[in-house]
Amino acid sequence: MTQSIALPANATAASQRRAELASVLLEDCPPTLADEIALVGSTARGAADDDSDLELNLWVKAIPPRVERVGWLRAAGATDVQVEDQPRADESQWIKFQLDGIPAEVGWQTFSSLHAQIDRIRSGAVLDRKALTFGDVIASAIPLRGDQLPTWQTVLATYSDDVQRGIVKLAVDQWSLPKHWATAGRLARHGERLALMGQLLADLDMALRLVYAVNRRWEPSAKWMLTVAREFAPELVGRIDTVLGDPSLERRVDLCAQFCRDVLALVPAHYDVAVALSTL
C-alpha cells in the first residue's frame, strides 16, 4: 500500500503531488537500495511550485551498483534518466530524471560520509553555504524509511558556537576591508550600477548569513534564504527590499551600510566587531 506522507499543514498542491510521487518511488524501492530515505527540499517544506524538483536523499552502508539504482527508477516509471558522472563534494551520488512529467533527483550517501559531513559543519571547519545548507536539509527533511533521521535532526538542532563565531568573523573581515564602503560610494557617484550592485548584493548576503548565525539557524540554499528568514526575521527581510528598491544609488549604499551596522549590533557582546562597526 502506498505510504501517505505528512507534509506541513499549509503545503501547496505542487508539494502534495510530488509527495504522492515520492510514495510511489518508496513503495517500489528494494530494501537493498536504501536503509534510510528522506523527502527533502521544497516538497518537504510544503513550498514546492510547478517548477520545483522532487528530491529524495537515500543513505546506505555502501552505494549500490549503478545498474540497480537506475533499474529501480525506470521500473517506477522514470524517464530521461541522467546519472551524474562524479560524486559531489559530500561523496553523494545523484541521479536526475522525470517522473510523470515532474523533474526529480535522488541522491545516495553512505552513513560514514553523512556522519563526517555532520561533524564538519558542526565544528565550524567549513563555512561555505553549500556545506552549511546540509544542516537545513536535514532539519526540514521528512523521514520515509528508517529511524535514524530524528537522531541526526537532534544532533543538528544545536548550532555550535564554532559555526556562529566563524560566520561573525567572515562578516567582520568583509566589512573591515580598507575603503570597502568608500568604494561603494564612489561606484554610486559614477553611476556604475553593475559593479555597485555586485558589492551591495554581497554585503546584503553576508548580513543575512549573519542574521541566521545570530539566530542559530542553519542557512538554506541561496534560493530559500529570504523565504525562510521571513519566518523568524521578517522586518530585516523587508529592509533588504528597501535597500534594493531605492531609486538613488547613493541612498542604497547608505541604507545597506546601516542595515549591516544594525545586524552587527545583534551579534553577542563577547564577539569583537568593533573594527567592522568603525567602517560603517
Side-chain angles (χ1 to χ4, degrees):
M1 184 173 64
T2 302
Q3 175 178 323
S4 177
I5 298 175
L7 296 178
N10 60 346
T12 62
S15 297
Q16 295 287 357
R17 178 59 184 139
R18 282 153 180 75
E20 292 169 1
L21 293 175
S23 293
V24 172
L25 288 172
L26 178 64
E27 184 178 21
D28 292 338
C29 183
T32 55
L33 288 187
D35 298 297
E36 295 274 334
I37 302 178
L39 178 67
V40 299
S42 58
T43 302
R45 294 184 185 281
D49 58 28
D50 290 341
D51 296 319
S52 298
D53 291 347
L54 163 63
E55 299 171 77
L56 295 178
N57 278 22
L58 286 69
W59 290 283
V60 289
K61 295 181 179 66
I63 305 295
R66 170 173 171 161
V67 65
E68 294 182 15
R69 290 178 282 140
V70 172
W72 159 51
L73 296 174
R74 290 196 186 281
T79 59
D80 192 23
V81 176
Q82 302 174 42
V83 182
E84 293 189 1
D85 292 334
Q86 298 296 328
R88 297 183 181 180
D90 59 5
E91 299 181 344
S92 61
Q93 298 185 30
W94 288 80
I95 299 178
K96 297 182 179 180
F97 54 97
Q98 295 277 326
L99 188 62
D100 197 24
I102 290 177
E105 57 180 352
V106 175
W108 281 260
Q109 186 181 38
T110 64
F111 289 116
S112 60
S113 294
L114 165 74
H115 295 149
Q117 188 175 8
I118 290 176
D119 289 343
R120 282 196 301 271
I121 64 173
R122 291 187 69 242
S123 69
V126 289
L127 296 171
D128 61 283
R129 174 175 291 133
K130 186 170 289 188
L132 293 185
T133 54
F134 184 73
D136 177 72
V137 167
I138 294 298
S140 60
I142 296 177
L144 302 182
R145 175 186 291 179
D147 57 8
Q148 296 192 53
L149 179 61
T151 299
W152 305 332
Q153 290 175 324
T154 298
V155 169
L156 288 169
T158 302
Y159 187 104
S160 74
D161 290 341
D162 291 328
V163 180
Q164 187 180 71
R165 184 181 303 108
I167 299 296
V168 170
K169 185 178 186 303
L170 287 178
V172 168
D173 289 348
Q174 180 168 316
W175 295 332
S176 299
L177 292 172
K179 300 182 179 180
H180 180 83
W181 294 102
T183 297
R186 185 171 64 253
L187 291 171
R189 289 192 298 275
H190 288 291
E192 291 291 347
R193 291 176 176 270
L194 293 179
L196 175 63
M197 289 308 298
Q199 178 171 330
L200 293 185
L201 288 173
D203 288 326
L204 292 172
D205 182 66
M206 188 70 256
L208 196 54
R209 295 192 71 191
L210 190 54
V211 169
Y212 275 88
V214 168
N215 285 275
R216 295 183 181 273
R217 296 283 296 259
W218 295 107
E219 303 169 32
S221 61
K223 63 184 178 182
W224 289 105
M225 284 288 280
L226 291 174
T227 299
V228 175
R230 289 189 183 97
E231 299 173 2
F232 63 92
E235 71 290 346
L236 292 173
V237 175
R239 289 183 61 183
I240 291 175
D241 294 334
T242 300
V243 173
L244 297 176
D246 198 284
S248 166
L249 296 184
E250 292 186 62
R251 178 67 176 158
R252 287 186 195 183
V253 174
D254 292 339
L255 289 171
C256 184
Q258 183 61 57
F259 178 70
C260 296
R261 182 184 299 115
D262 291 343
V263 172
L264 275 174
L266 301 175
V267 172
H270 57 274
Y271 295 118
D272 184 8
V273 299
V275 175
L277 280 170
S278 69
T279 68
L280 289 162

